[in-house]
Amino acid sequence: MKVDISVTSPTQNPELAGIQPPVNNPVYRLGKLVTGKRGRWVVLIVWILLTGLLSSLPPKLSSLYDDNLASDIGDQESVRASKLLEQAFPNRKGLPAIIAFYNPSGLTDSDFATAQKVSDWLVSGNQPPKVGQVLSIYTVPQSRSQLVSANGTTMTMIVSLNILSSSDKSLTDTVKAIREFTDPLDGHGSPLQVKVTGAGGVAADAQLVFVGTDVALLLTTVALVMVLLIVIYRSPVLALLPLIAVGITQSVIGGILALAVKANLFGISQMDSSIMTILLFGAGTDYTIFLVSRYREELHSAPDRLTALRTAYYGVASAILSSAGTVIAALLVLLLAIVGIYHSLGPSLATAIAVMLIAGLTLVPALLAILGSFAFWPFRPDLKKNKISTKLTFWGKLARQVSHHPLQAVLGSLVFLLILSLGNLGVNNVYNFLTGFRQPTASASGYKILANNFEPGALAPFDVVIQLKDGTNAYQKLVEIDQISQAIATNSSVALVSGPTRPDGKTPSVDPASLQQQFATLPPALTEAIRSGKMPTTGSMPGGSSLNPQIIGLYAQTISYISPSNTVVRLQITLKSDPYGVPALDSVTPIRTIAKQATQKAGLGENVSLTGMTAQLDDTRQASDHDKLIVIPLVILLTGLILGLLLRSLVAPLFLLAAVLLNFFAALGISSFLFTTIQGDDGLSYATPLYAFIFLVALGADYTIFLMSRVREEVAKLGIVEGTQKAVTNTGGVITSAGIILAGTFLVLTILPLRDLYQLGIVVAVGILLDTFIVRGLLVPGLVLLLGDATWWPSKRLKRG
C-alpha cells in the first residue's frame, strides 16, 4: 500500500492543516511528556527495567497452566454428584485410561494371550506408579460380557490412573509408559491393534499436541506481522517497531499474570495463553499503526517532526483508549460466566490488553521520538519539500462513490451480509472433545475402534447417583433398587442400566429378593478380600465355609455399585446413541426425572443426581447458554455506552452496534458453511460463537471508533458529505492495514491442532476482513450520509468550522 509521505505548508493548502490540540489538554500533555527529550528515555528505561524484573521472577507462566479450566462448569449437579462419588467410592478416584484390543477378523487365542500379558503387567508391581485398579476379563472374569464386543473383534481394559487433574504433568509420563509397553504389540506382523484411549489417553494427547506450540505460534505470528508491515510501510524499522513494543510488553504481561495466578486471583490455561499471544500482536500492531499513520499524515502540515508526533498522539490517543477500553470491558464481562473456558479467558486477556494500552500510549510514542526520521528508513520524509500527491487512492475513489450513492452502498452491503448470515441455519453446536483433534492421535484411533464395535453409549456411560435416606442399608433394599433400574430402562434412549442387581445391564439371573437374602449371609472377610483385590478364585473362604461361586461373582460386581458405607448407590447408564451427541444430551433431563420419581416411589429418598461425561456436557450446554444470555447483552450495552460517550451521540451507537452484530452473524454464517458443508465437520464447537462474538464486537469497535472519531472531526470542519468522504479516504488505508494484520494474526491459530482454536481463528479473521472492507468501507459511511446530522443527536449540529 503506497502512501506519499512528502509534506507541504498548511498555508499553501489549508485543507491539509492538521488538528490544533489545546496545549493544556491532559492527553496532549501526556504525549508531550512521553516524547520529550528526557521523557522518551525515561519511558524506555522503565519498560526495560520492568521487563527484566518481571520476566526473571519465578514462577514462569507456562508452569502454571491449568487445563482443568476447560472443563470447569462451577457448582452444577454433575459436579456435585462427581464429588459425592469420590467421597463414597474412594477407590474410583482418578482418570480412566482404556486400552482397546482390536482384530478386524476376530480376536484369537493369541490376541487374548497378548492382552493377558498387558493385564498381568499392570497389576504386577512393575507398572507405572500412577496406575491404580485394573478392570479386565483377567482381573474380574464376570465382566467379560461388558468388556468384549458382541462381534468378538474388540476387547477393552479399563485402567484407573491415580491422577485427579488432566493438567497433571505426570499424566503424560504415565500414559507414555503404558504405550511403551503396548506399542510393540500393535501390529508388527499381527492384525491385532492396541490403542490407549479413554479420558486419560485423550487428556495426555491434549497435553502432547500443545508441546512446542507456544514457540511455533510466536514465531509464525512474528514472521507474518513482519512481512505484512514491510509490505505496507516499505520500512523495516517501522515493521520492527510494533514487534519490539509487543515483545517487551509480553514479557511484562507474563510476569504480571504469573504473579496473579500464583496469588490465586485467577487461573489461565494454555489455550488462553495462545489466544493472548495472538490478541497482543493484533491489538499492539493496531495501536502502533493508528499512531504511525496519523503521524505520517500530520507531517504534511506540522512545522517539525516532534510537533507532528505530538499532534498525531492527541488525535488518536482517545480512539486508542476507547478501543482498548471496549475490549477490556467486554473481556471483564466474562467474569460473570459459569463455564471455565469463558471465565478464565476474561481477566487474563483484559490484563494483557490493559498493559498493551499503556505501552501503546507510552512506549510506542517514546520509541518513535527516539528514532526520529530513521523510523521511516529508507524512505525518510523531507520536511523541506512542499508537495503532496494528488492521486486518488482506492479508498478515496470508494469514498467518493459512497458519498454519491449512499443508499446503494447501504442496501448492497446489507444484502451481502444477510446472505452470508444464512450459513448459520441448521448448524449444530459440538460438545465432543474427542473429535476436536485436527491431527491423528492414538486416543482418537482407539475411540473410533470402540465406536465401531460397541454400543455407542458404551464409550462413556454415565451414573445416576442415589444417596439413601438416613438409616437405609443398600443391601437391604436391592428389590427397590432393581425397580429403579427397571424404570430408567423404560426410557427409549437407554440401552442398558447396570447396577447392584444387574451388573451386566441385563435382567438379573437371581431374583433380587433372593439375592438380598444370600448377600446377608456372606462373611465380612469376603467384602474385605474383594475390596483389596484378593477375591477368592474358588468357592470357599480360608478357614472355612463353602460359598456359591455365582453368588460370590455377583457380590464382587455389586460392591462396585454400592459404597463401603452402604448408603450411596450408583446406577450406570449406557445410551443407544453417541454419548457426546446432542440427542444424548437431550436425554439427560428425562432420565433424571424418571430416576427421581422412581427413587421417591421406592421410599429411598429424593437425593438423586447424575454425573459422568454426558451429564457433564449437558450441564456445560446449559451453563453456556446461561452465560450467553448474560454476556452478550452486557457486552452490547457496554460497547454502546463507550461509543456514545466518545461520539456524544445516542443515534450513532445504535446503528454502529447493529452493523457490528450483522457482521458477526455474517462471519459466523460463512465460516459455518465452510466447516460443515465443505470440510465435513459436525458443526461449531460450542465455545466458538461466544468467543467470536467477544472478539468481533470488541475488536470491531476499534475500527468503528477510529473511523467515527475521525468522521466527527472532519464533519465539524468540512460538513457531512465532504467530511465523511475525507474521513473514509484518510482512515481507509489505515483500517485496511490494521485489519489485514489482525486477521492474519488470528489465522495463525489455524496452525494449532485443536478444532476450537482453528474455528475461532477462521471466524474472527473472516469477521475482521468483512468489517474492514464492507462495514467500514460501505455500510457505516453510507448510514452516516443517509442520516446526516441526525447521526450525532442529541449533540448540536456539527458545522463546518
Side-chain angles (χ1 to χ4, degrees):
M1 184 176 300
K2 188 174 181 180
V3 180
D4 194 310
I5 55 176
S6 57
V7 297
T8 187
S9 168
T11 59
Q12 293 173 317
N13 193 337
E15 285 198 6
L16 291 178
I19 54 176
Q20 302 299 318
V23 294
N24 292 323
N25 183 278
V27 174
Y28 182 79
R29 292 173 65 183
L30 177 61
K32 186 177 180 181
L33 177 66
V34 300
T35 59
K37 290 184 178 180
R38 292 184 180 178
R40 65 186 76 167
W41 291 106
V42 170
V43 169
L44 180 60
I45 291 170
V46 168
W47 275 100
I48 291 174
L49 290 175
L50 282 174
T51 300
L53 176 63
L54 291 173
S55 61
S56 62
L57 287 176
K60 297 296 183 184
L61 182 61
S62 58
S63 67
L64 300 173
Y65 292 151
D66 182 4
D67 292 327
N68 286 325
L69 293 171
S71 58
D72 181 20
I73 53 173
D75 189 35
Q76 303 301 301
E77 179 186 293
S78 60
V79 176
R80 297 193 302 272
S82 179
K83 292 178 180 178
L84 175 59
L85 273 185
E86 288 180 5
Q87 295 171 357
F89 297 86
N91 292 332
R92 295 185 71 249
K93 289 183 178 180
L95 291 170
I98 299 176
I99 305 177
F101 300 85
Y102 171 66
N103 186 330
S105 301
L107 294 170
T108 64
D109 292 341
S110 175
D111 296 335
F112 282 110
T114 298
Q116 185 166 8
K117 289 179 183 178
V118 176
S119 180
D120 292 344
W121 172 70
L122 289 170
V123 298
S124 65
N126 297 320
Q127 75 274 31
K130 292 291 185 177
V131 170
Q133 290 185 331
V134 177
L135 175 62
S136 72
I137 64 172
Y138 308 105
T139 58
V140 183
Q142 295 84 357
S143 63
R144 188 181 186 91
S145 61
Q146 294 172 283
L147 300 180
V148 179
S149 64
N151 61 15
T153 64
T154 312
M155 181 175 67
T156 61
M157 192 176 293
I158 303 174
V159 183
S160 178
L161 305 180
N162 296 324
I163 300 171
L164 299 179
S165 170
S166 61
S167 60
D168 191 325
K169 302 305 179 185
S170 65
L171 174 62
T172 304
D173 295 335
T174 302
V175 173
K176 181 181 178 182
I178 295 174
R179 284 176 175 161
E180 286 177 350
F181 189 91
T182 61
D183 282 353
L185 309 174
D186 183 12
H188 302 285
S190 167
L192 180 66
Q193 297 180 37
V194 184
K195 306 292 183 184
V196 179
T197 184
V202 171
D205 284 341
Q207 287 186 14
L208 290 172
V209 297
F210 269 114
V211 173
T213 55
D214 282 346
V215 175
L217 193 71
L218 180 62
L219 293 178
T220 305
T221 305
V222 169
L224 177 68
V225 173
M226 184 73 179
V227 169
L228 290 175
L229 285 172
I230 288 177
V231 171
I232 291 168
Y233 284 129
R234 299 173 296 149
S235 167
V237 180
L238 281 178
L240 284 171
L241 179 63
L243 298 180
I244 293 171
V246 172
I248 292 174
T249 307
Q250 191 172 32
S251 297
V252 173
I253 291 167
I256 292 174
L257 291 179
L259 293 175
V261 174
K262 188 178 179 181
N264 294 320
L265 296 180
F266 50 80
I268 185 170
S269 68
Q270 186 153 10
M271 187 170 75
D272 297 339
S273 180
S274 297
I275 296 174
M276 182 180 70
T277 298
I278 294 300
L279 186 61
L280 274 179
F281 274 92
T285 304
D286 275 7
Y287 301 158
T288 305
I289 286 177
F290 290 166
L291 178 59
V292 169
S293 298
R294 190 61 181 265
Y295 177 26
R296 299 178 77 166
E297 187 180 334
E298 293 298 331
L299 284 171
H300 291 303
S301 56
D304 57 70
R305 295 186 183 87
L306 195 56
T307 300
L309 178 58
R310 291 170 178 173
T311 303
Y313 184 95
Y314 172 78
V316 301
S318 296
I320 292 175
L321 183 62
S322 300
S323 299
T326 303
V327 178
I328 292 170
L331 289 169
L332 288 179
V333 171
L334 290 174
L335 285 170
L336 301 176
I338 296 173
V339 178
I341 56 175
Y342 304 147
H343 185 91
S344 67
L345 193 70
S348 56
L349 265 63
T351 301
I353 290 295
V355 177
M356 191 67 246
L357 168 65
I358 296 172
L361 296 178
T362 57
L363 179 60
V364 172
L367 289 172
L368 281 171
I370 291 170
L371 291 170
S373 63
F374 180 68
F376 300 97
W377 180 86
F379 302 100
R380 304 185 188 186
D382 187 351
L383 292 175
K384 295 179 181 179
K385 292 183 178 180
N386 293 322
K387 71 168 187 173
I388 179 172
S389 173
T390 57
K391 183 179 180 181
L392 203 58
T393 64
F394 166 79
W395 287 103
K397 295 176 181 177
L398 182 64
R400 186 169 61 183
Q401 288 298 315
V402 172
S403 65
H404 291 163
H405 309 285
L407 182 60
Q408 290 90 326
V410 170
L411 291 178
S413 53
L414 283 176
V415 170
F416 179 71
L417 293 174
L418 286 171
I419 291 174
L420 295 186
S421 299
L422 295 176
N424 292 299
L425 297 176
V427 175
N428 295 319
N429 286 335
V430 178
Y431 298 85
N432 189 349
F433 60 89
L434 292 178
T435 60
F437 296 114
R438 300 190 63 250
Q439 65 183 32
T441 63
S443 59
S445 298
Y447 168 76
K448 290 180 180 177
I449 289 173
L450 298 180
N452 291 333
N453 295 284
F454 282 93
E455 192 79 48
L459 299 172
F462 65 95
D463 292 323
V464 174
V465 184
I466 304 171
Q467 188 169 26
L468 305 181
K469 61 184 181 181
D470 293 343
T472 303
N473 186 323
Y475 288 102
Q476 297 174 359
K477 297 292 182 179
L478 294 182
V479 175
E480 289 83 353
I481 292 172
D482 189 68
Q483 291 171 353
I484 299 172
S485 297
Q486 292 180 51
I488 295 173
T490 62
N491 184 277
S492 60
S493 301
V494 175
L496 296 172
V497 181
S498 305
T501 57
R502 47 180 76 198
D504 59 358
K506 301 176 182 178
T507 303
S509 56
V510 180
D511 179 70
S514 173
L515 199 62
Q516 184 172 301
Q517 293 176 352
Q518 295 189 61
F519 280 174
T521 64
L522 296 177
L526 177 62
T527 303
E528 182 179 349
I530 293 174
R531 292 196 185 282
S532 65
K534 300 177 181 178
M535 188 180 74
T537 57
T538 66
S540 62
M541 288 291 296
S545 56
S546 177
L547 301 174
N548 184 328
Q550 183 185 13
I551 297 301
I552 292 178
L554 285 171
Y555 186 61
Q557 292 176 286
T558 296
I559 281 179
S560 66
Y561 294 100
I562 297 177
S563 68
S565 65
N566 302 339
T567 60
V568 178
V569 176
R570 70 180 186 92
L571 303 176
Q572 192 172 74
I573 311 300
T574 302
L575 297 174
K576 295 177 181 177
S577 62
D578 178 1
Y580 303 94
V582 172
L585 273 55
D586 291 340
S587 71
V588 169
T589 297
I591 291 173
R592 180 188 294 115
T593 301
I594 292 172
K596 286 186 176 183
Q597 292 174 347
T599 302
Q600 186 177 12
K601 182 178 179 180
L604 299 183
E606 298 180 352
N607 194 343
V608 179
S609 52
L610 274 60
T611 189
M613 187 53 64
T614 304
Q616 181 181 335
L617 290 178
D618 182 56
D619 281 348
T620 299
R621 178 174 64 167
Q622 295 185 36
S624 180
D625 291 344
H626 166 272
D627 290 345
K628 291 172 185 175
L629 290 176
I630 292 178
V631 170
I632 290 176
L634 278 177
V635 169
I636 293 174
L637 177 63
L638 288 173
T639 303
L641 286 174
I642 292 173
L643 288 172
L645 291 172
L646 177 70
L647 301 175
R648 300 188 292 280
S649 167
L650 293 177
V651 175
L654 293 179
F655 70 76
L656 291 174
L657 283 173
V660 168
L661 290 174
L662 179 57
N663 181 68
F664 161 70
F665 285 114
L668 199 64
I670 187 61
S671 299
S672 297
F673 180 82
L674 168 68
F675 300 145
T676 57
T677 304
I678 297 178
Q679 296 182 340
D681 288 347
D682 295 333
L684 281 173
S685 168
Y686 75 92
T688 297
L690 186 56
Y691 274 166
F693 173 82
I694 292 292
F695 290 123
L696 286 179
V697 171
L699 295 174
D702 279 9
Y703 305 142
T704 299
I705 289 169
F706 189 69
L707 171 63
M708 290 302 293
S709 59
R710 189 61 182 270
V711 168
R712 185 179 179 89
E713 176 188 325
E714 298 297 344
V715 167
K717 294 188 296 182
L718 304 173
I720 189 68
V721 176
E722 291 185 31
T724 301
Q725 185 173 335
K726 184 178 180 182
V728 173
T729 300
N730 288 355
T731 62
V734 181
I735 292 177
T736 301
S737 302
I740 290 174
I741 291 174
L742 187 59
T745 55
F746 269 92
L747 280 176
V748 173
L749 286 174
T750 61
I751 71 171
L752 298 180
L754 291 180
R755 175 188 58 213
D756 293 20
L757 293 179
Y758 171 82
Q759 291 187 348
L760 175 63
I762 294 289
V763 175
V764 175
V766 169
I768 290 170
L769 293 176
L770 287 174
D771 185 275
T772 300
F773 289 98
I774 305 300
V775 176
R776 308 302 153 213
L778 298 173
L779 182 57
V780 169
L783 288 170
V784 171
L785 290 167
L786 289 176
L787 291 171
D789 292 324
T791 300
W792 316 106
W793 186 87
S795 293
K796 293 180 180 180
R797 181 180 178 183
L798 301 181
K799 296 182 179 179
R800 180 170 179 170

